[in-house]
Amino acid sequence: MDSVNTSRRKFLVSSAAGFGGLVIAQSTVGKPVINLLDPGSPLVIPDNFEPCVWFTMQSSGKTNIHVFRQEIGQHIGTSLAQIVAEELELDWSQVSIDYPEMDMVQFSKTGEQNTGGSTSVLLSFEPLSRSAAVAREFLVEAGAEILGSEPSDCYAKNGFVIDDGYGEQISYGQILSQTVIQHEIQPEEMAEIRLKSKEDYKIIGQSLDALDINEKVNGKARFGIDSYAPNMVFGKLSLGPTRLGSTISMVDDTEAKEIEGYIDTISVSASGFPGMAPGTEVALVIATSFPVAMRAEQAINITWDVPNQQLVSSRDLMIEAKSIQQEQTGGQTWLEVGNIENALENNEVFSASYETAMIEHAALEPRSALVQKIDDVFHIYSGTHMPTTLIQGIAAVLEVPPERVVYHPHLIGGSFGDKIYNDQIMAAAMACKKLDRPVKVILTREDQFNLGHPKTSSFQTLTAAIKKDTNLAYQKRVSAIGHDVVAAPQFPMAADGAIYDDRFDKTPEASPVFGARGIMSSADHWYDLDHALIRYFKHDSINAIVPTGAVRTVGNFYTIFAIESFIDEVAHEVGVDPLDLRLSLLKGVGRNAGAEYSVDGEVRLGAGQVTVGGAKRLANVLKIAAGQANYGSVTLGTNSGQGIAIAGAEGRWNPTFSACVADVSLTLGGNISVDRLTVCSDVGIAINPLNVRAQIEGSMLWGLSSALFEETVLENGRLKDENFDSYKWQRNDRIPEIDIHIVENGIHPSGIGESTLALVAPAICNAIYNINGKRLRSLPIKNHLPFA
């Protein structure tokens, strides 16, 4: 190998810090990396070019993208790889992905790595793009040195450094097989680098096949249940009569001891997400195999102490929720604009209330976990959304420093938020410590349902100040909307609400709202109103009975259902078509204008720019969806109707601006048929359009299932449903036509994993009203059918 002279560093000369520290030297050192997708073919990566934690280039020119976000079926690895490949000018055929193990040292380099809220691309786009762009310039300089060219005369393209002046080129593989570039990218270098313009993209924007498809099809991909360790034992949970609060007073395992392979039954705590679900005591049956553990659990007699205060049902909690709202107990301001009290005093008042039920995650893959202790370090083999939080939580439970916990990621076979909660990992870790041997805990479907963290039920009341004067412009007929939300908190930390002097104000006063994170998503809608007051009322009693959790799209599901149903009701009250009223209130004024596009002629970049364009982008997708659906067509039959809904979900800080039109018909038996869903989403930048479409389609189907069927009922402190025989969801034989339209009117990609889910329920309910005049204010819709 040759040594390369690094004295000629001509690019980015405007950087005050420069690019000092670049060293190109000889090396033949290699290191192994776990290949999660194909463990039978481990990766060996020579240290030729590892400029950052996000990717490593081998001497062959092959590039491995290190994925620290969690793969749940959304193909996040492929999207992140496209981001890197674009700015690094890679040959896509030379790109692969891997999932490194995670520990506190790793997190010091990557920052917190938790997957949720459709934030993976949103938050990763900037650091990955900038790191790749800086690395590209390193390769250009090294390639120019070998070619005997000036770096300013060379450029990178498709895995080559090219000098057009002399007609010469050299591949990345040739560069890295001769030299080793030893440099760690610095923050100031990332800040100075100039990224490509959108019109120059060649890999971003292409519908490339997912990089992990083959392994998932041929069985080589590693899921949590595939984990194995020598000398491991298996744990089967035995749950109490109530979801929370039941404690074990006696375990009689006399009969179980007659079963060959049975070892012991121990009592452990399964607390899930740190800070959630205290007091979940369970019995863990230990055996040499999981079938033996299942048999032994049936033979064990457990005596439980069940507190009477835990014997609560869903009906009791909804009655309490209504009481909280009526008594105005403990409301916290999430959004305030102007003075709603004056508006309500000086206008006609219209009000309506909405209810939603608890919903299970109902993921196809039940949770599992293997915990193994090696040299005083606890190793976790499982699939989870939140490895950073997991490591810290497990360390606290085991009473060891976080540095003594390592997480080995596994692919996740469906989650919808379920794998945020680590009840089974907590149980396996405690058993591993107690037994001093590897313990693998697997949940059965029944365990999964009853150790779940369902979406909170909600009760919401909206009140509008309106005028029914048809001589007024549409937007003048609605001056104020108040919105009270009663729901259980899911995360212990506070979220920032906002108080604006008026609708033109762009610099609000912060209003900390405790327990509102996720719960109030999209309640602070994009409608231009002179006055608004949105308040959150914590329903703590729910979490004392059953720990609620972040189920797909979290608060958006019920806040958007209420808001978009109510806007429709208000439109009919003031004599305006619901489409026209919405468009009149989406002018993007003041707080709804979105982020500033540029300053002094320089376009701003970064995740904070995802809102550029604001409510006008929401108006645009509404127009497109309405046009594509032929909204308001005179050809609709007498038993058919259309309904619309819009939102900037997952929330104002990560909005995918979307609109949905539902075509619904009424059957002769009084049931409904959802015939077509037309949706248009502005995703800012579509990294992989086909995958964006797949994500939207899955989100719409989840929304359809939740709207029509899904609810889990609490009876005497325990969730009633235990399997798919009683928990109903959308069937494949009744799926409507889904017409998806994608637009890209932003400068930063937004999250698309959940954004359109919440539109389905209000669009369907608004369509039903247009058919038969029946206004549905509670979900699921099945509870209202058949119509008389």
Side-chain angles (χ1 to χ4, degrees):
M1 288 188 177
D2 295 328
S3 178
V4 173
N5 183 352
T6 64
S7 62
R8 294 180 299 164
R9 307 198 43 77
K10 301 295 181 65
F11 65 95
L12 290 178
V13 293
S14 64
S15 171
F19 278 69
L22 178 67
V23 177
I24 303 180
Q26 296 181 350
S27 174
T28 57
V29 178
K31 65 179 182 179
V33 172
I34 295 171
N35 185 352
L36 177 62
L37 294 175
D38 186 0
S41 177
L43 304 172
V44 178
I45 304 175
D47 284 331
N48 286 107
F49 195 20
E50 192 170 7
C52 62
V53 72
W54 309 115
F55 53 87
T56 304
M57 299 188 73
Q58 300 178 37
S59 58
S60 64
K62 191 174 182 66
T63 301
N64 297 290
I65 315 299
H66 308 314
V67 182
F68 295 94
R69 299 287 175 166
Q70 305 308 296
E71 170 55 34
I72 315 172
Q74 82 281 40
H75 301 306
I76 187 60
T78 303
S79 294
L80 299 186
Q82 285 185 250
I83 295 170
V84 172
E86 181 63 65
E87 289 291 350
L88 195 48
E89 280 289 346
L90 295 176
D91 174 356
W92 184 251
S93 68
Q94 296 298 302
V95 174
S96 62
I97 55 176
D98 57 54
Y99 299 81
E101 68 182 31
M102 302 185 190
D103 55 22
M104 296 309 294
V105 174
Q106 195 76 276
F107 293 141
S108 69
K109 301 176 183 178
T110 67
E112 184 172 314
Q113 290 298 313
N114 295 328
T115 301
S118 296
T119 60
S120 292
V121 168
L122 174 82
L123 300 180
S124 299
F125 184 80
E126 190 81 357
L128 265 60
S129 294
R130 292 191 175 278
S131 296
V134 173
R136 180 189 70 229
E137 296 303 322
F138 289 159
L139 287 164
V140 168
E141 182 170 354
E145 188 74 26
I146 297 173
L147 293 173
S149 306
E150 288 292 328
S152 58
D153 296 331
C154 298
Y155 63 92
K157 181 179 180 181
N158 199 33
F160 285 84
V161 172
I162 302 170
D163 181 346
D164 268 349
Y166 289 97
E168 294 183 322
Q169 66 180 25
I170 184 171
S171 71
Y172 288 171
Q174 290 172 313
I175 295 171
L176 295 175
S177 65
Q178 300 178 52
T179 63
V180 173
I181 306 174
Q182 294 177 332
H183 179 78
E184 185 174 343
I185 295 173
Q186 300 301 308
E188 58 269 21
E189 296 170 334
M190 293 176 63
E192 289 288 338
I193 197 72
R194 182 171 293 277
L195 299 177
K196 289 183 179 181
S197 298
K198 184 177 176 182
E199 57 267 23
D200 295 326
Y201 287 161
K202 298 186 291 291
I203 295 178
I204 290 177
Q206 299 300 311
S207 295
L208 304 176
D209 291 340
L211 294 171
D212 57 4
I213 289 295
N214 289 340
E215 289 79 7
K216 288 180 176 178
V217 172
N218 64 29
K220 290 183 177 180
R222 301 285 288 178
F223 292 83
I225 203 167
D226 297 319
S227 59
Y228 169 82
N231 197 37
M232 73 179 183
V233 293
F234 292 80
K236 166 68 174 71
L237 294 177
S238 186
L239 309 181
T242 60
R243 175 61 177 85
L244 294 177
S246 295
T247 57
I248 299 171
S249 62
M250 187 192 71
V251 175
D252 181 1
D253 62 352
T254 304
E255 293 184 23
K257 290 177 179 178
E258 300 298 321
I259 300 174
E260 184 179 354
Y262 169 72
I263 297 173
D264 197 6
T265 297
I266 61 178
S267 174
V268 297
S269 175
S271 58
F273 189 92
M276 294 287 292
T280 306
E281 188 171 2
V282 298
L284 185 63
V285 180
I286 305 295
T288 55
S289 72
F290 192 65
V292 170
M294 294 178 68
R295 287 172 52 209
E297 193 231 346
Q298 297 298 314
I300 291 169
N301 182 24
I302 302 175
T303 302
W304 296 88
D305 289 333
V306 183
N308 288 330
Q309 65 267 25
Q310 296 301 120
L311 303 178
V312 176
S313 298
S314 295
R315 176 179 171 83
D316 304 320
L317 293 173
M318 185 57 71
I319 291 172
E320 184 178 60
K322 294 177 180 179
S323 176
I324 290 172
Q325 193 278 326
Q326 291 166 359
E327 296 174 7
Q328 298 288 284
T329 306
Q332 303 176 75
T333 300
W334 179 249
L335 173 70
E336 184 174 356
V337 180
N339 189 325
I340 195 171
E341 290 185 4
N342 289 343
L344 293 174
E345 288 177 2
N346 296 304
N347 291 276
E348 186 175 339
V349 175
F350 176 75
S351 184
S353 295
Y354 303 85
E355 301 176 22
T356 61
M358 289 183 183
I359 293 177
E360 286 271 17
H361 293 97
L364 186 61
E365 177 200 31
R367 284 178 266 144
S368 64
L370 168 62
V371 178
Q372 179 184 27
K373 185 180 178 183
I374 304 174
D375 296 332
D376 216 27
V377 174
F378 289 90
H379 294 259
I380 301 167
Y381 307 85
S382 187
T384 181
H385 284 253
M386 312 190 78
T388 310
T389 307
L390 169 67
I391 287 176
Q392 295 169 336
I394 292 293
V397 167
L398 298 179
E399 299 179 329
V400 300
E403 290 73 21
R404 286 175 52 192
V405 180
V406 176
Y407 169 62
H408 301 266
H410 284 61
L411 305 183
I412 299 174
S415 175
F416 317 114
D418 175 65
K419 271 70 174 189
I420 289 176
Y421 306 98
N422 303 313
D423 310 80
Q424 83 289 358
I425 303 178
M426 295 285 182
M430 295 178 71
C432 174
K433 182 179 181 180
K434 185 171 183 177
L435 300 174
D436 196 27
R437 64 188 297 184
V439 177
K440 183 173 184 177
V441 173
I442 302 173
L443 302 190
T444 63
R445 183 73 62 196
E446 289 76 15
D447 295 339
Q448 176 77 32
F449 268 77
N450 266 298
L451 204 64
H453 300 253
K455 185 188 294 289
T456 177
S457 55
S458 75
F459 178 75
Q460 303 172 80
T461 297
L462 287 89
T463 303
I466 62 174
K467 287 184 170 66
K468 296 183 179 179
D469 185 350
T470 56
N471 293 315
L472 292 173
Y474 295 158
Q475 70 270 26
K476 294 295 184 181
R477 302 183 199 183
V478 185
S479 60
I481 291 181
H483 185 183
D484 289 347
V485 180
V486 184
Q490 292 165 358
F491 302 107
M493 63 285 289
D496 283 335
I499 299 176
Y500 296 85
D501 292 336
D502 53 46
R503 69 188 180 105
F504 302 101
D505 185 4
K506 293 185 178 182
T507 56
E509 174 188 347
S511 173
V513 183
F514 294 93
R517 183 176 176 182
I519 296 298
M520 296 297 288
S521 298
S522 294
D524 49 351
H525 49 73
W526 292 83
Y527 290 118
D528 297 323
L529 296 169
D530 289 329
H531 311 280
L533 178 62
I534 302 171
R535 296 179 296 182
Y536 171 52
F537 295 82
K538 285 201 301 179
H539 195 177
D540 290 316
S541 296
I542 296 179
N543 281 335
I545 306 302
V546 56
T548 57
V551 180
R552 194 173 186 182
T553 206
V554 198
N556 293 276
F557 176 71
Y558 47 81
T559 60
I560 293 172
F561 166 63
I563 292 166
E564 288 303 291
S565 295
F566 189 68
I567 285 289
D568 243 61
E569 295 201 52
V570 168
H572 288 288
E573 282 291 314
V574 300
V576 180
D577 185 281
L579 173 65
D580 295 333
L581 180 61
R582 285 178 170 86
L583 290 174
S584 73
L585 297 174
L586 294 172
K587 303 302 182 182
V589 175
R591 76 179 191 91
N592 293 324
E596 295 289 339
Y597 174 65
S598 63
V599 175
D600 297 329
E602 185 73 17
V603 176
R604 289 181 169 184
L605 299 175
Q609 299 304 103
V610 72
T611 63
V612 164
K616 291 182 179 179
R617 289 168 67 184
L618 201 49
N620 288 338
V621 295
L622 176 56
K623 293 173 185 176
I624 294 170
Q628 292 293 331
N630 198 18
Y631 176 79
S633 171
V634 297
T635 63
L636 286 174
T638 55
N639 286 322
S640 300
Q642 293 178 312
I644 57 178
I646 63 171
E650 251 319 271
R652 289 182 72 93
W653 65 282
N654 180 21
T656 292
F657 297 102
S658 303
C660 175
V661 179
D663 283 77
V664 178
S665 58
L666 189 65
T667 69
L668 293 176
N671 288 300
I672 64 166
S673 171
V674 180
D675 303 317
R676 185 185 188 197
L677 295 172
T678 305
V679 61
C680 180
S681 292
D682 184 345
V683 302
I685 297 173
I687 304 298
N688 186 312
L690 185 62
N691 194 41
V692 169
R693 184 176 297 275
Q695 289 276 60
I696 292 174
E697 183 178 276
S699 184
M700 297 293 287
L701 292 175
W702 230 97
L704 181 68
S705 185
S706 298
L708 294 176
F709 302 108
E710 293 193 48
E711 68 172 335
T712 186
V713 177
L714 188 68
E715 290 185 348
N716 290 322
R718 188 180 176 99
L719 296 172
K720 177 183 176 182
D721 297 297
E722 293 191 336
N723 212 318
F724 295 135
D725 58 338
S726 61
Y727 189 78
K728 302 301 181 185
W729 54 3
Q730 178 66 36
R731 288 177 8 193
N732 286 344
D733 61 347
R734 297 180 182 176
I735 291 177
E737 176 188 355
I738 301 179
D739 185 20
I740 299 171
H741 302 271
I742 301 170
V743 296
E744 303 177 66
N745 288 326
I747 60 174
H748 192 92
S750 58
I752 48 88
E754 309 165 89
S755 57
T756 56
L757 188 158
L759 301 177
V760 181
I764 293 174
C765 289
N766 292 336
I768 290 171
Y769 177 81
N770 291 330
I771 297 172
N772 60 13
K774 295 184 182 294
R775 181 63 68 178
L776 306 188
R777 297 193 178 111
S778 66
L779 298 176
I781 293 171
K782 70 175 184 181
N783 294 337
H784 301 277
L785 302 176
F787 293 121

